Amino acid sequence: MDLSATLAGVHFANCVMNAAGALCVTRDELEALGRSRSGAIVTKSMTPAFRDGNPSPRYHSFPGGSINSMGLPNLGSPTYAVLIPGLRQFGKPVMASIAGLEPADFLDVAHVITEVRPDLIEVNLSCPNIPGKPQIGYDVEASRSLLQRLNGVITVPMGVKLPPYFDPAHHEAMADMLREIGVAFVSVINSVGNGLVVDPERECTVIKPKGGFGGLGGSMIKPVALANVRAFWKLFDGRVPIIGTGGIVSGMDVFEHGLCGASAVQIGTVLVDEGVGVFERLERELGEVLARKGYRSFAECRGRLREL
Ligand code: SIN
């Protein structure tokens, strides 16, 4: 079964890859992704300098999902600039995820990372976990201004990682702006920001930062993720590749993302729960689903959701 994907001219032998944030901070983690069946090596969202991130506990997994408030812990872009050339030995695309607390941070990281030419750059407009910093992706004009400036710096295919939107007007406004900018791909969705999970026995929050508020992931967010994949697929008429992220725990979930319009997918919670062996399982399950339904490739099911 052909599970490959091509996005912005870059070939992925397997359409399933890690999401920025999941087991991709350190050199060891990035190399483990390289040795795994992940379709790409996606780095943790990086800032200009090393960050410890938020205080622990900052990640909690529970039946149905996860909540995190990591706070962008990462090694800093100069270190990733040293690591990225070495990741080429694994023969799969390297996607650098870039972030910042201020627009100037994104530009600084973009300058440093463009130099080492990752295959793609994903601009993270959607981290919900920095106290006092709203998610840029919820402000169309701030996003436009940042992306216009990044366009002048980044010389590899540039995509965006967006937060979930809950209203068609917001999908439309964002899609109009992204079309104008000419992004190479769109990743939807980042975690559903600022949820609250409570431990009723201990009568407390399950994570420490931000009073227990954090980004929700895992199977419970799948309908929100699929809606965002579908909305952008339709608004772009299938012309801008979409990476679907959110709620994938099985090969069938990958198939659902494909039906809604995803060219490839990323996994977070299930990767943290199961480790890099999960790529092999998802590959096998997706292959079985596609074969049972008479498809010859993942690409063939893309966007084919029927509306009743
Ligand atoms: C984090 O580091 O807090 C998660 C990153 C993200 O959600 O973008």
Side-chain angles (χ1 to χ4, degrees):
M1 182 62 68
D2 177 5
L3 301 185
S4 68
T6 301
L7 272 96
V10 178
H11 181 75
F12 298 72
N14 180 1
C15 62
V16 183
M17 67 192 88
N18 69 294
L23 304 187
C24 58
V25 175
T26 64
R27 177 193 199 125
D28 283 354
E29 287 174 338
L30 292 165
E31 291 185 349
L33 287 166
R35 288 188 298 272
S36 78
R37 299 288 301 173
S38 177
I41 304 173
V42 184
T43 72
K44 174 69 184 169
S45 297
M46 61 188 82
T47 52
F50 171 89
R51 279 177 62 83
D52 245 341
N54 291 339
S56 292
R58 58 192 187 181
Y59 183 90
H60 178 82
S61 162
F62 52 94
S66 67
I67 182 166
N68 88 83
S69 182
M70 305 303 287
L72 296 175
N74 76 94
L75 304 179
S77 53
T79 302
Y80 291 109
V82 172
L83 290 179
I84 284 172
L87 297 176
R88 294 194 190 294
Q89 65 174 300
F90 297 102
K92 58 177 81 172
V94 177
M95 185 185 300
S97 171
I98 71 169
L101 274 56
E102 307 294 340
D105 292 348
F106 284 84
L107 287 155
D108 182 325
V109 174
H111 275 289
V112 170
I113 289 300
T114 297
E115 285 289 300
V116 295
R117 301 203 64 74
D119 297 279
L120 307 111
I121 288 182
E122 185 181 83
V123 181
N124 184 352
L125 299 179
S126 48
C127 177
N129 301 329
I130 305 298
K133 300 285 178 190
Q135 293 163 85
I136 304 168
Y138 283 135
D139 181 335
V140 177
E141 287 317 310
S143 299
R144 183 200 310 276
S145 149
L146 175 60
L147 293 172
Q148 276 169 342
R149 294 167 73 190
L150 287 171
N151 242 350
V153 175
I154 293 175
T155 55
V156 300
M158 176 184 86
V160 285
K161 175 83 168 269
L162 299 176
Y165 300 100
F166 300 93
D167 191 292
H170 298 159
H171 290 122
E172 279 162 34
M174 205 62 192
D176 287 348
M177 183 277 288
L178 294 171
R179 219 179 283 114
E180 207 179 290
I181 295 289
V183 291
F185 65 95
V186 168
S187 291
V188 277
I189 56 174
N190 204 325
S191 59
V192 175
N194 296 296
L196 180 62
V197 175
V198 164
D199 180 339
E201 288 306 321
R202 292 163 59 227
E203 301 180 17
C204 64
T205 61
V206 297
I207 57 170
K208 185 178 173 79
K210 290 182 69 177
F213 284 42
L216 302 173
S219 53
M220 68 181 175
I221 72 164
K222 187 175 72 174
V224 178
L226 294 177
N228 277 268
V229 169
R230 188 69 181 163
F232 283 109
W233 159 264
K234 289 173 84 167
L235 285 163
F236 292 136
D237 286 326
R239 282 196 274 269
V240 177
I242 294 172
I243 302 179
T245 311
I248 293 171
V249 295
S250 70
M252 187 64 89
D253 297 324
V254 181
F255 178 64
E256 289 181 24
H257 271 265
L259 285 178
C260 291
S263 294
V265 301
Q266 295 180 345
I267 55 170
T269 302
V270 74
L271 173 57
V272 175
D273 284 350
E274 278 184 52
V276 294
V278 72
F279 291 107
E280 233 174 286
R281 176 176 68 77
L282 293 177
E283 204 177 339
R284 188 183 63 250
E285 291 176 0
L286 175 60
E288 285 167 4
V289 171
L290 291 169
R292 178 164 60 77
K293 291 180 154 288
Y295 290 103
R296 283 160 304 172
S297 67
F298 179 62
E300 212 175 68
C301 77
R302 187 165 72 115
R304 288 180 68 157
L305 187 71
R306 283 188 308 109
E307 295 179 17
L308 298 180

